[in-house]
Amino acid sequence: MNRTDRLYALVEELRAVAPRPRSARWLADRFEVSTRTVERDLSALQQAGVPIWAEPGRTGGYCLDPSHTLAPLGFTVDEALAVTISLGMLATSPFRDAATSALRKVVAVMDDRSLSETADLATRIHLLDDGPAAEVPADLPQALRTGHVLQILYQDRSGTETVREVEPLGFVGKGRGWYLIAWCRLRNGIRAFRGDRIITAEPTGERSPRRDFRAEDLDIVYGELRTVGAGR
């Protein structure tokens, strides 16, 4: 993580738990840098006008002004439990890091009583997995948002590796497995690439041309595709 990304992540971490403090040592462990580096970063943020202050004492640390955080979310316990389960189900997906961050933010803005009840109920919910999931290349989750052509190293079912340039169109999830749906320039058509067979994925810097993506183009025999859409 470069310094610019770390500065942004520090603010988001403090925002997620505000008005509670985080110690410099905790932040250093979180971002895998030295305590001195964290203190320098926090000082730079303060000088830039970010409302961060230090609380003294054994349980003190650095805090972000609560007025610069999210307003409390009006979740019922059932709603909070549903969000917790949904985000937990993304733990093996290309979006697991974003899901973990989102869950921390939801937890941070819930009142203590609802949070305690939700946490208790969540201990009774279990997901049945087939085994550990393979790591997803770091640049894969941002593929849709950035719109960049990716160069991937892909291994097919026989173990043969090929380098391909692909134009990301979407993702399909099935159980613990996730597939990148993309226009493959090598095959000149839409293909589904299993996430656990994508060894590397690097953006080329080229913007993908606009292509229509229809579920029926995938010709999926088993299962039924369901669209995940944000509520309006």
Side-chain angles (χ1 to χ4, degrees):
M1 179 183 292
N2 61 42
R3 186 167 187 258
T4 299
D5 290 341
R6 190 173 64 249
L7 290 174
Y8 177 80
L10 278 168
V11 173
E12 287 303 300
E13 179 62 44
L14 294 177
R15 188 192 307 277
V17 299
R20 300 191 295 275
R22 285 290 196 210
S23 70
R25 177 176 295 181
W26 191 98
L27 292 169
D29 290 342
R30 168 73 175 82
F31 296 106
E32 299 180 343
V33 295
S34 67
T35 300
R36 176 173 292 185
T37 296
V38 163
E39 290 174 340
R40 269 201 310 264
D41 288 346
L42 292 168
S43 177
L45 289 168
Q46 289 170 326
Q47 293 174 28
V50 180
I52 296 173
W53 76 93
E55 281 192 354
R58 186 172 59 84
T59 60
Y62 290 89
C63 307
L64 184 69
D65 186 341
S67 65
H68 288 256
T69 65
L70 293 169
L73 299 177
F75 283 151
T76 65
V77 170
D78 285 343
E79 290 169 342
L81 181 61
V83 170
T84 301
I85 295 169
S86 299
L87 293 174
M89 292 176 70
L90 292 175
T92 59
S93 79
F95 313 102
R96 61 176 179 268
D97 291 342
T100 299
S101 176
L103 184 57
R104 287 206 316 270
K105 292 178 181 180
V106 170
V107 168
V109 296
M110 289 179 63
D111 65 85
D112 291 341
R113 180 176 179 181
S114 295
L115 178 59
S116 177
E117 187 174 353
T118 301
D120 178 64
L121 290 171
T123 62
R124 310 181 198 183
I125 309 296
H126 302 275
L127 301 175
L128 187 61
D129 289 333
D130 296 325
E135 287 291 320
V136 175
D139 288 305
L140 196 58
Q142 289 78 36
L144 290 183
R145 178 171 54 80
T146 62
H148 285 157
V149 175
L150 293 178
Q151 183 180 80
I152 65 172
L153 177 60
Y154 189 70
Q155 185 180 73
D156 65 19
R157 67 180 64 184
S158 66
T160 302
E161 296 181 1
T162 55
V163 176
R164 311 185 186 204
E165 286 193 352
V166 301
E167 303 167 15
L169 299 174
F171 286 96
V172 169
K174 185 178 187 299
R176 288 172 59 87
W178 282 80
Y179 297 79
L180 169 67
I181 309 302
W183 180 271
C184 177
R185 292 181 173 180
L186 180 65
R187 304 303 185 202
N188 196 34
I190 292 178
R191 293 292 186 273
F193 299 95
R194 269 181 50 168
D196 59 349
R197 292 181 181 166
I198 299 176
I199 300 170
T200 61
E202 299 179 359
T204 63
E206 177 190 351
R207 298 282 296 184
S208 298
R210 176 70 181 178
R211 294 186 187 275
D212 292 329
F213 169 44
R214 302 179 305 162
E216 51 266 34
D217 292 334
L218 298 179
D219 192 26
I220 293 179
V221 178
Y222 301 104
E224 182 175 335
L225 287 179
R226 174 170 53 88
T227 300
V228 177
R232 297 288 184 182

